[in-house]
Amino acid sequence: MTKKLTVSALLVALAMILSYLETLIPFNFGLPGVKLGLANLVVVCALYLLDTRSAFLISMVRILLIAFTFGSLAALLYSLAGGLISFAVMALLRRNEGFSVIGVSVAGGVTHNIGQLLAAVLIVENLNLFFYVPVLIIAGLITGLLIGIISKYVIPPVKKAVRQM
Amino acid sequence: MKKKDLILILVLVLISVAGLAAAGFLQKDEGAAVVVTVDRQEYGRYPLSEDRTIEVSDEAGRNVIVIKNGQVDVTEADCPDKICVDHAIIRYDHETIVCLPHKLVVEIVGGDTSDVDVTTR
């Protein structure tokens, strides 16, 4: 129990640092609303290091902390929408043996963008925003792929370290 | 990378390519339009790409608007000053021809932007 709490706390701290890093070095793709989402790396790893419940808590806590520290109320709404949908999809695919970390991360990246867009559509009440869906799918695909590839190499050694703790 | 990962990525790429194609198709359909306004009410909206002649006549007066080769001109009017008839042809976004006596405004919306003139809004 203490070990799980410690690992969770470390992961939340890591997510915050990664988000802070991202504000320092903006990975600008030239598209509004599109960013690398380094903090998602932590959530993907948490899904493989801990149980689903802990991973969910980590995701929610990091969203709240990051929004209150670096963002605004609007940013909180968008990240919550994206975070909840992408977590649900990633947790589901995680249980399916046919998908590797990369597939899980790609699905998470794409659904995170879709969730944010849905929130935006509800807030500004403009259905024309749906024209942006293809762009967001491609963007989520690329960022998800990057996060997935990093996760693939990060998870095994971290898992080993956690076991030895 | 497993087989299902690749299928997922492939499906996502296909969806977005189809979506982009659909969006491009839908937007092309709209194109530039010529909006005719009489006394602040929209009288009609016509595609700039189709040649046609529009006759606007009411109690205030009569104007003939000609759309040809992506250009708009007012060719006839029974107003006293004929400023709208003398006005140069218009073809770029936001360009207008106005006939004040008849409260008629012909404007191009969603057209190409002129290289020379810029409208600030």
Side-chain angles (χ1 to χ4, degrees):
Chain A
M1 183 62 209
T2 321
K3 190 164 141 185
K4 201 160 92 182
L5 192 65
T6 317
V7 174
S8 302
L10 276 172
L11 287 176
V12 170
L14 186 61
M16 287 198 71
I17 289 169
L18 288 176
S19 284
Y20 180 60
L21 267 181
E22 213 171 311
T23 59
L24 289 181
I25 323 154
F27 301 92
N28 206 329
F29 292 88
L31 293 164
V34 174
K35 55 178 188 154
L36 188 49
L38 270 178
N40 200 40
L41 175 67
V42 171
V43 180
V44 174
C45 291
L47 271 170
Y48 283 84
L49 296 172
L50 302 161
D51 53 307
T52 311
R53 196 170 147 268
S54 307
F56 180 72
L57 283 175
I58 290 171
S59 178
M60 289 301 113
V61 170
R62 62 114 196 174
I63 286 172
L64 288 173
L65 286 177
I66 291 166
F68 282 126
T69 326
F70 310 116
S72 57
L73 186 66
L76 174 65
L77 286 175
Y78 291 125
S79 346
L80 261 183
L84 284 171
I85 293 180
S86 72
F87 187 85
V89 172
M90 286 197 293
L92 218 68
L93 290 196
R94 159 83 175 93
R95 283 158 194 240
N96 188 320
E97 284 302 311
F99 291 100
S100 75
V101 204
I102 296 175
V104 169
S105 171
V106 165
V110 171
T111 47
H112 189 272
N113 285 352
I114 303 284
Q116 288 196 320
L117 184 83
L118 285 176
V121 167
L122 286 176
I123 289 169
V124 299
E125 294 180 356
N126 186 349
L127 288 176
N128 282 335
L129 284 179
F130 280 120
F131 277 110
Y132 207 42
V133 167
V135 179
L136 288 179
I137 291 180
I138 295 278
L141 189 70
I142 294 167
T143 56
L145 208 59
L146 287 172
I147 298 289
I149 292 167
I150 300 172
S151 305
K152 194 185 156 192
Y153 291 101
V154 165
I155 290 169
V158 176
K159 208 170 197 167
K160 207 172 141 200
V162 168
R163 217 179 290 131
Q164 286 166 354
M165 249 163 74
Chain B
M1 187 105 80
K2 290 183 184 171
K3 202 176 159 194
K4 277 192 184 173
D5 294 342
L6 283 172
I7 294 172
L8 176 76
I9 292 170
L10 210 67
V11 167
L12 286 172
V13 168
L14 282 178
I15 291 174
S16 46
V17 167
L20 280 177
F25 184 73
L26 281 172
Q27 269 166 350
K28 212 175 194 175
D29 230 7
E30 284 183 10
V34 181
V35 178
V36 180
T37 316
V38 181
D39 196 9
R40 281 178 284 174
Q41 303 284 315
E42 186 171 318
Y43 177 87
R45 190 177 276 260
Y46 313 92
L48 187 62
S49 50
E50 280 174 39
D51 293 357
R52 76 169 77 210
T53 305
I54 307 148
E55 192 178 320
V56 180
S57 78
D58 56 13
E59 61 267 31
R62 180 174 163 272
N63 293 78
V64 176
I65 303 152
V66 175
I67 305 175
K68 200 178 177 191
N69 304 326
Q71 301 179 334
V72 188
D73 192 15
V74 175
T75 52
E76 276 177 58
D78 58 359
C79 54
D81 54 18
K82 300 277 189 293
I83 285 177
C84 52
V85 179
D86 294 338
H87 194 287
I89 51 162
I90 56 172
R91 70 182 85 161
Y92 295 117
D93 201 20
H94 297 315
E95 283 190 325
T96 50
I97 300 179
V98 179
C99 178
L100 270 184
H102 299 165
K103 295 180 181 171
L104 175 102
V105 179
V106 182
E107 184 179 13
I108 294 179
V109 289
D112 299 329
T113 324
S114 161
D115 298 334
V116 185
D117 302 317
V118 178
T119 316
T120 346
R121 295 215 144 181

